[in-house]
């Protein structure tokens, strides 16, 4: 484009041509950027983020169950309904380690079609199941895994809960470990090589 600078006292104008982009050039640049973005998109593993989000969901609900046990001064049960991809938290007011009619229950369903899984190997070396560890008991005819939190803030013992995706890829597997005495929680990812690694959330 052309910019003119004029000295009105002498009626003299000088023009200065400055470089710029035409609409066609900008359209070509945007088109190339869109093509490169489309090529890079398949390389992004969105499943990783979905699995991490579900692991955070489970971890947050476990933390909430622990806090409820302390605040309400009662035993709280966390039961994994693996065949429905959900878990329920029970206020065990009768302290009998089982749901009794009338006790308050909170249900949470895993998102994005993710599910509880029996992994090929476990974090603690136990026989693979939906949850492993000394702090895990089972309930109901389907042997749903169950973890308990006590009014002291501790849990029924060490427990590891496993999640995976419908795709069944090893790298989609996640695990949340609860340490019994302190209820400290740790997060694990399985690599494509099938090895569990401690990770940050």
């Amino acid at each position: 484009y052309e910019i003119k600078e004029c000295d009105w006292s002498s009626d003299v104008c000088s023009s200065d041509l400055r470089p710029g982009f035409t609409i066609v050039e900008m359209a070509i640049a945007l088109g190339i950027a869109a093509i490169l973005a489309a090529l890079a998109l398949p390389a992004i593993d969105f499943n990783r983020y979905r699995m991490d989000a579900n692991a955070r969901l489970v971890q947050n609900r476990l933390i909430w169950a622990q806090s409820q046990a302390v605040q309400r001064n009662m035993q709280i049960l966390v039961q994994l309904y693996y065949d429905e991809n959900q878990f329920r938290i029970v206020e065990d007011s009768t302290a009998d380690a089982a749901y009794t009619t009338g006790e308050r229950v909170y249900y949470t369903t895993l998102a994005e079609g993710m599910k509880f899984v029996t992994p090929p190997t476990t974090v603690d070396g136990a026989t693979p199941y939906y949850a492993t560890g000394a702090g895990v008991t089972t309930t109901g005819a389907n042997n749903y895994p169950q973890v308990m939190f006590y009014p002291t803030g501790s849990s029924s013992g060490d427990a590891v809960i496993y999640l995976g995706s419908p795709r069944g890829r090893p790298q989609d597997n996640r695990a949340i470990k609860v340490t019994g005495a302190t209820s400290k929680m740790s997060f694990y990812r399985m690599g494509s090589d099938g090895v569990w690694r401690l990770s940050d959330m």
Side-chain angles (χ1 to χ4, degrees), residues 48 52 56 59 186-189 197-201:
R48 172 188 173 98
D52 287 349
R56 290 187 189 97
Q59 183 186 45
S186 306
F187 174 66
Y188 290 81
R189 291 188 183 97
R197 294 178 177 85
L198 183 63
S199 303
D200 295 325
M201 286 298 285

Side-chain angles (χ1 to χ4, degrees), residues 135 147-150 152-159 178-183:
V147 179
M148 291 178 281
F149 289 96
Y150 303 122
T152 59
S154 63
S155 69
S156 48
D158 289 356
V178 182
T179 303
T182 61
S183 292

Side-chain angles (χ1 to χ4, degrees), residues 60-108:
N60 289 338
R61 295 302 283 169
L62 289 170
I63 292 172
W64 184 82
Q66 179 198 26
S67 68
Q68 287 295 101
V70 175
Q71 292 175 16
R72 294 183 174 275
N73 193 34
M74 70 170 61
Q75 190 166 277
I76 301 292
L77 314 176
V78 179
Q79 301 169 335
L80 309 184
Y81 279 55
Y82 54 79
D83 52 352
E84 298 178 23
N85 300 328
Q86 68 176 200
F87 54 100
R88 72 178 188 180
I89 296 173
V90 180
E91 293 183 357
D92 187 19
S93 57
T94 58
D96 61 354
Y99 170 71
T100 303
T101 303
E103 290 179 332
R104 189 175 297 177
V105 182
Y106 307 89
Y107 288 88
T108 302

Side-chain angles (χ1 to χ4, degrees), residues 20-79:
F21 295 103
T22 66
I23 292 177
V24 173
E25 289 172 331
M26 292 180 66
I28 292 172
L30 290 173
I32 292 172
I35 291 171
L36 292 175
L39 291 174
L41 202 58
I44 300 174
D45 189 357
F46 291 104
N47 230 40
R48 172 188 173 98
Y49 299 111
R50 283 193 287 267
M51 287 311 307
D52 287 349
N54 273 284
R56 290 187 189 97
L57 171 67
V58 173
Q59 183 186 45
N60 289 338
R61 295 302 283 169
L62 289 170
I63 292 172
W64 184 82
Q66 179 198 26
S67 68
Q68 287 295 101
V70 175
Q71 292 175 16
R72 294 183 174 275
N73 193 34
M74 70 170 61
Q75 190 166 277
I76 301 292
L77 314 176
V78 179
Q79 301 169 335

